[in-house]
Amino acid sequence: MDVGHVIQSALAPVFLISGVGVMLGVLTNRLARIVDRARDWEAKADQEAHRAADLDARLQVLARRSRYISSAITMCAVSALLTALVVVGLFANAFLAVNLSAVIAILFVAAMMALTVAFLVFLIEVRIATASIRIGRIQ
């Protein structure tokens, strides 16, 4: 296989890495918002003792959400790493006297599984966020 064909084969995984990068941006922004909200509520809990129990319950939800988002970020990063190894494997397979087809396939399937888990964990976090939302002044 010549360089042109290897580059063509590597384009799809490279686009996948790009998509995972966008997903990482979304996840890190959500995590930053959770952290900012937690800091605000912690400050309010210190100032408003009469609302401390309510704010502590909300902070527990934010802590749970942050754990899910952190897990999703980890799985996205693992997916990107495995996909990058697929690209390396494609080039190694083409230019070394070793057949790495099975390794490349396993790496790609593992990358897809990690990305699937990341999306599943993200979905769980979004469900927690929407379940705990408060609109208006409900007492």
Side-chain angles (χ1 to χ4, degrees):
M1 192 182 295
D2 64 359
V3 175
H5 285 108
V6 176
I7 291 173
Q8 286 176 342
S9 297
L11 275 180
V14 169
F15 280 119
L16 176 61
I17 291 171
S18 176
V20 171
V22 170
M23 182 65 179
L24 280 169
V26 168
L27 293 171
T28 55
N29 283 336
R30 286 185 71 87
L31 182 59
R33 292 191 60 176
I34 290 169
V35 169
D36 290 344
R37 184 170 292 157
R39 287 180 180 155
D40 289 343
W41 287 353
E42 286 172 344
K44 284 182 184 178
D46 291 341
Q47 296 170 355
E48 303 174 19
H50 64 283
R51 293 185 59 206
D54 177 52
L55 290 172
D56 282 342
R58 291 184 190 188
L59 286 168
Q60 288 176 355
V61 171
L62 289 180
R64 187 171 171 218
R65 287 179 57 198
S66 71
R67 285 191 300 273
Y68 279 109
I69 287 291
S70 179
S71 296
I73 289 170
T74 300
M75 294 311 293
C76 276
V78 166
S79 176
L81 175 66
L82 291 171
T83 305
L85 290 174
V86 165
V87 173
V88 170
L90 287 168
F91 279 93
N93 191 52
F95 298 112
L96 299 177
V98 179
N99 184 4
L100 298 175
S101 298
V103 173
I104 293 168
I106 290 168
L107 287 171
F108 188 75
V109 169
M112 290 297 92
M113 289 175 62
L115 190 58
T116 301
V117 170
F119 279 118
L120 180 63
V121 173
F122 176 60
L123 176 64
I124 293 169
E125 188 276 331
V126 169
R127 299 275 300 168
I128 293 169
T130 55
S132 65
I133 195 169
R134 284 182 40 177
I135 300 174
R137 298 184 60 183
I138 301 171
Q139 295 292 335

